[in-house]
Amino acid sequence: MIGFAFLLLACAVAAVFVLLKRRIDRLERALQALSARVAQVDPRAAPPAPPPAAIVRTVAEAASAEPLESMPAPAPQPAPRTRPALPKLSFETLVGGRLPIWIGGVALVLAGFFLVRYSIEQGLLGPAARTGIAALFGLVLVAASEGARRLPATRDDARLGQALAGAGIASLYGTLYMAAALYHLIAPLTAFVSVVLVTLGAMGLALRHGPPTAIMALAGGFLAPLVAGFDAAGIAPLLVYLGLFVAALFGLAVHRRWGWLALAASVAGLAWTQFLIAVLDGRGSLSAIGLYTMLLAGGASAALPAAGLRNRWLRLAPLLAGLLQLVAIAPGLDFGPLAWSFYLVLAAATLLLAWRDPVYLPGALASAMLLLALEALALASPHSGATPGAAIVATMLFAGVGQWLWARGRGWVAIALLGAAGPVLVAHALSRALLPAAGWGLIEAVAAMACARLAWQLRREGDAALTAATLAAALPGAVALAQVVPQGWLAVPLAAALGGLALWARQVRAPALFVLPLLPLLAALVAAAVPLGALLATIAAALSGDRLPYAALPPVVDLLRTIALPIAAAIAFLADPRAFGRARRAAAILAGTGGVLLLYTLAKQPLAIATPERFLAWGFLERALLTQAALAAGWALFRAGRLPMLARALFLLGIARLVWFDLALLNPALVAQWAGPLLALHLALAAGWCWTLPRLRVPAALLSVAAALAAVRWLTHGMLLTGAIGSVENGGYSAILLVLALAWLWRGIAAGAHDLRLAGLGLLTLTTCKVFLIDAAALDGLLRILSFLALGVALIAIGWAYGRFLAKPKVDPAAAPPPVT
């Protein structure tokens, strides 16, 4: 407790000194201005002019005067004293003329300290004698500095006096530390007064000798505890000593406008803190270290600008270092009230500094982020201490100040959003048991409204702040809604968030807001990762030839509960061409894929093909219905001109299913299934969809040929299409292909469709080749005769008709006679 009292008293003395010095400076400036004004009003009040050096004589008086030779000679004026200047900086002047003096000063300090230590180790002197010798040594060095300043041989080189004065001050600091902390030779009050006197003496010598003395005093003061043993008398006296020393350095830096000295004192003081944290390793006087850190960081933030330091990041560095050190100390204090008090007080000081000077705004933002890290660290540990109460205080502190000052800049908006939504979300994520679900929902709803207020205030800005405020309102709002829905129905708040974000984007019309509904959609897909993963594994097995994928499907209830609502909402909002903004393509892919997977699972439920017998009876029908549904949906979207990307994906999906499953992997002609006329009808419908769409004439023609062949297969085999190809079936293939070729030629000639005529001619060529190369070898007797007879008649008729079509003259529209009027 005495150490805390000394530390507080030292900080108070430093603060009073700074305030008094500023007031004295203002009074001096006011007095000078007043003197100048008085001199302008009344010239007689000005100091009298000096008398003339000689009387001007007239020419006559000069002629009658004594000769110049008889006049006494004036007294010789002393020549101005010049200081010997060192040559230009080089290796020789540096090593030979400059460094030895400063290294010698440091050596003198170390000599004194090691002399005392040697006397201790050898038991030569008692504690009082050792302390007296150390004090005498420091005083001798200070006196030597004044002697060096006055002696003719050394007064021209100011570095001698600076080095000796710095070494003497460092020795005196070390002496006082030994006398008070190690040997208890003087009372605490006497030690405090002595330290104040030495500090005043150090400041006076620094004012007299300049920055080098201040540097020597700084180095000696901070190194003295290390030489004497920093933990010999406990941590609290050491911190008192460090606090007084740093306060004195701050006062000197402010007085002389030495920003470098204030920064060096801050860095050295915080380095001592870090050293003590590492050495103590969570043990010992961490509360005293926390108090010292808090006061040092706050004092440095006030002293650095007062000392003339203008670099914003250097001014922020001690503050940020202090916040980080307080976070490091908190676990050692079990996250108790003391640990949180240190941090919150320094964070409040940071907010105050940022309110007065925008340079400190990044520090305030960093303190809010570190607060969330400290809260998470505390709640994740076995003993959270006073963290719940501190989270409430932190929320009111950061959110209140941010809501008050949001109009001053986007940094304050970020502080308000972090303060309103951050602590409650971190606490809910890591310590759900602190409150019932309704309590969490209420608190998060309040946080969402606070963020929504900022979003409303920023609705006309359309910048990143509006986007951040919208997200900050949506996140706790969705979490609050999740507390009132049944367990497992996370899709409800996610769908509500998606809809709310989409409607808000329409209202504000900010381009960046249209992308935000993608985030709830992604969250819904991530939340449904387990059932979606099982579904994708089932589809992969089906693609590799599994005939019974239904048995491995995830429960349809889980899919409906987890992704149905978000996907439906996303597809509904995709009707708006502005929906999802730059992420529209990604949203359409995700929503379309999710919708198709969900519909696939639903379509598998009615027939429930889980046994080989059911696959034989219903396998092809189920596949055909799924394929035709995809083709019909894509065709309808194409014809309506809406969602072209989704339409293309659905139609390609249908074609891919038909080719892979119905023509290749599970072809009814190879795998036993009750297909019958369904295969021909299925292929004919697919060909019909393709014939009505542009640029799909080739797939349509191929599907038409496949449908014709499937019809012949059904007529020759019945419901089961497996088996060998007979001679009748082979002839039927030639006949149906010839009929199809004639139909295409007729339609191409009648409609003037060049591509359809070419398709008919190509199919006719293939049919002719088939008859000559295959049918001639496979048929015999009457069938061979009839086959060639029909082919010959058909080819002659086609050649005659097509020749007349080609010979028909084409009418030139430009050469046609004008109509008669």
Side-chain angles (χ1 to χ4, degrees):
M1 296 302 296
I2 296 176
F4 284 119
F6 280 165
L7 186 56
L8 291 174
L9 183 59
C11 295
V13 170
V16 170
F17 174 80
V18 172
L19 294 175
L20 290 177
K21 183 63 180 65
R22 288 182 177 178
R23 179 169 297 182
I24 291 172
D25 291 341
R26 286 197 298 267
L27 290 175
E28 289 179 352
R29 288 193 294 269
L31 183 59
Q32 293 175 0
L34 183 60
S35 300
R37 181 177 294 179
V38 170
Q40 292 176 358
V41 174
D42 187 5
R44 294 175 298 177
I55 301 175
V56 181
R57 302 180 178 181
T58 62
V59 177
E61 291 174 340
S64 60
E66 296 179 358
L68 293 177
E69 290 78 0
S70 62
M71 295 181 62
Q77 297 290 334
R81 186 176 61 185
T82 59
R83 292 186 177 182
L86 285 175
K88 187 177 180 180
L89 184 62
S90 63
F91 176 78
E92 182 181 6
T93 58
L94 180 64
V95 176
R98 301 194 179 197
L99 288 182
I101 294 179
W102 303 117
I103 297 175
V106 175
L108 289 176
V109 176
L110 294 177
F113 286 143
F114 288 126
L115 176 62
V116 174
R117 167 160 283 189
Y118 177 77
S119 66
I120 296 173
E121 293 172 352
Q122 299 298 324
L124 300 177
L125 302 172
R130 298 166 190 163
T131 306
I133 291 174
L136 182 60
F137 182 71
L139 293 175
V140 168
L141 289 177
V142 172
S145 70
E146 290 301 313
R149 183 180 175 86
R150 289 179 169 81
L151 290 176
T154 57
R155 63 185 177 185
D156 293 332
D157 193 347
R159 296 170 301 153
L160 296 174
Q162 293 168 353
L164 292 172
I169 291 299
S171 300
L172 290 176
Y173 273 119
T175 301
L176 288 174
Y177 180 75
M178 289 188 297
L182 294 181
Y183 302 134
H184 304 287
L185 297 176
I186 55 177
L189 181 60
T190 306
F192 173 74
V193 173
S194 301
V195 169
V196 171
L197 293 176
V198 172
T199 302
L200 293 176
M203 293 174 60
L205 289 173
L207 292 173
R208 186 175 179 84
H209 291 280
T213 302
I215 295 174
M216 295 292 292
L218 181 143
F222 279 113
L223 292 176
L226 286 177
V227 177
F230 69 94
D231 57 347
I235 301 302
L238 172 63
L239 294 175
V240 172
Y241 164 78
L242 292 175
L244 290 174
F245 186 56
V246 171
L249 292 175
F250 282 165
L252 178 60
V254 171
H255 176 71
R256 292 297 298 267
R257 306 288 291 178
W258 287 343
W260 60 268
L261 181 60
L263 181 63
S266 304
V267 172
L270 292 171
W272 260 106
T273 304
Q274 192 61 41
F275 171 74
L276 292 176
I277 294 173
V279 170
L280 294 177
D281 193 19
R283 301 171 286 102
S285 304
L286 286 180
S287 57
I289 297 175
L291 179 61
Y292 167 77
T293 304
M294 179 190 70
L295 295 175
L296 176 57
S301 301
L304 289 176
L309 194 65
R310 292 290 174 260
N311 187 286
R312 60 182 304 176
W313 298 113
L314 292 180
R315 289 166 62 178
L316 281 172
L319 194 62
L320 298 178
L323 290 170
L324 286 171
Q325 288 180 347
L326 289 178
V327 172
I329 290 172
L333 296 176
D334 296 328
F335 304 101
L338 202 57
W340 277 106
S341 298
F342 293 154
Y343 188 88
L344 291 177
V345 168
L346 187 56
T350 307
L351 292 173
L352 179 62
L353 290 171
W355 170 66
R356 297 189 61 183
D357 189 350
V359 169
Y360 291 99
L361 188 56
L365 189 60
S367 67
M369 296 179 181
L370 288 174
L371 166 74
L372 300 182
L374 180 57
E375 181 187 5
L377 185 65
L379 294 176
S381 64
H383 304 288
S384 59
T387 303
I392 297 175
V393 176
T395 300
M396 293 188 294
L397 176 64
F398 285 96
V401 174
Q403 292 278 349
W404 174 40
L405 299 174
W406 69 269
R408 296 183 61 175
R410 295 299 177 254
W412 290 108
V413 174
I415 290 172
L417 297 177
L418 287 174
V424 62
L425 292 176
V426 171
H428 191 181
L430 297 177
S431 293
R432 189 184 297 266
L434 287 176
L435 290 174
W440 285 119
L442 180 61
I443 295 175
E444 285 156 348
V446 173
M449 287 188 290
C451 297
R453 174 186 175 274
L454 285 178
W456 179 259
Q457 297 288 347
L458 296 166
R459 66 187 183 279
R460 291 185 177 87
E461 301 296 332
D463 57 359
L466 174 61
T467 305
T470 302
L471 278 178
L475 181 58
V479 177
L481 183 59
Q483 307 309 307
V484 298
V485 299
Q487 182 72 22
W489 285 87
L490 184 59
V492 174
L494 290 176
L498 191 153
L501 289 172
L503 294 175
W504 175 244
R506 288 184 182 180
Q507 174 72 25
V508 179
R509 300 180 181 178
L513 295 184
F514 284 103
V515 185
L516 296 184
L518 180 65
L519 299 178
L521 179 60
L522 289 173
L525 295 176
V526 171
V530 174
L532 283 178
L535 178 56
L536 291 176
T538 302
I539 292 175
L543 288 173
S544 62
D546 185 9
R547 303 177 186 179
L548 304 173
Y550 173 80
L553 285 174
V556 67
V557 177
D558 293 345
L559 289 173
L560 290 174
R561 187 177 66 244
T562 53
I563 63 171
L565 286 177
I567 288 178
I571 294 176
F573 283 109
L574 279 171
D576 183 358
R578 300 171 301 173
F580 297 98
R582 293 174 296 176
R584 181 176 178 82
R585 181 183 295 271
I589 293 174
L590 292 175
T593 304
V596 168
L597 293 177
L598 188 59
L599 291 175
Y600 172 81
T601 307
L602 291 174
K604 285 286 187 180
Q605 303 306 311
L607 295 179
I609 301 174
T611 62
E613 293 76 14
R614 292 192 65 81
F615 173 77
L616 177 65
W618 304 104
F620 178 78
L621 177 62
E622 183 186 66
R623 291 200 314 275
L625 290 175
L626 290 176
T627 301
Q628 290 298 326
L631 292 172
W635 181 87
L637 290 175
F638 268 129
R639 303 291 287 186
R642 306 186 66 179
L643 302 175
M645 188 170 62
L646 181 60
R648 189 180 301 110
L650 288 173
F651 202 85
L652 290 177
L653 175 64
I655 296 295
R657 280 182 53 85
L658 187 148
V659 172
W660 180 251
F661 288 112
D662 300 331
L663 297 180
L665 195 63
L666 299 176
N667 192 329
L670 303 175
V671 179
Q673 299 160 82
W674 293 97
L678 294 179
L679 178 59
L681 179 62
H682 178 45
L683 295 171
L685 281 175
W689 299 123
C690 293
W691 280 119
T692 58
L693 294 176
R695 293 182 295 181
L696 290 178
R697 314 253 315 165
V698 174
L702 295 176
L703 289 172
S704 299
V705 172
L709 298 177
V712 174
R713 185 78 173 177
W714 163 57
L715 292 174
T716 56
H717 286 75
M719 294 302 294
L720 285 177
L721 304 181
T722 54
I725 299 176
S727 58
V728 176
E729 181 182 356
N730 188 33
Y733 288 150
S734 300
I736 197 67
L737 291 177
L738 181 60
V739 171
L740 185 60
L742 293 175
W744 284 353
L745 284 173
W746 169 80
R747 183 59 185 168
I749 293 172
H754 182 260
D755 57 347
L756 198 57
R757 295 197 304 269
L758 292 180
L761 290 175
L763 184 59
L764 180 62
T765 303
L766 291 176
T767 305
T768 303
C769 294
K770 176 182 179 298
V771 171
F772 279 98
L773 298 177
I774 298 176
D775 295 356
L779 300 177
D780 56 2
L782 185 60
L783 290 178
R784 180 185 297 176
I785 297 171
L786 291 176
S787 174
F788 278 92
L789 179 63
L791 180 63
V793 173
L795 290 175
I796 293 172
I798 291 170
W800 174 80
Y802 207 77
R804 289 178 60 87
F805 169 74
L806 292 176
K808 184 178 180 180
K810 295 181 173 58
V811 179
D812 188 0
V820 180
T821 57

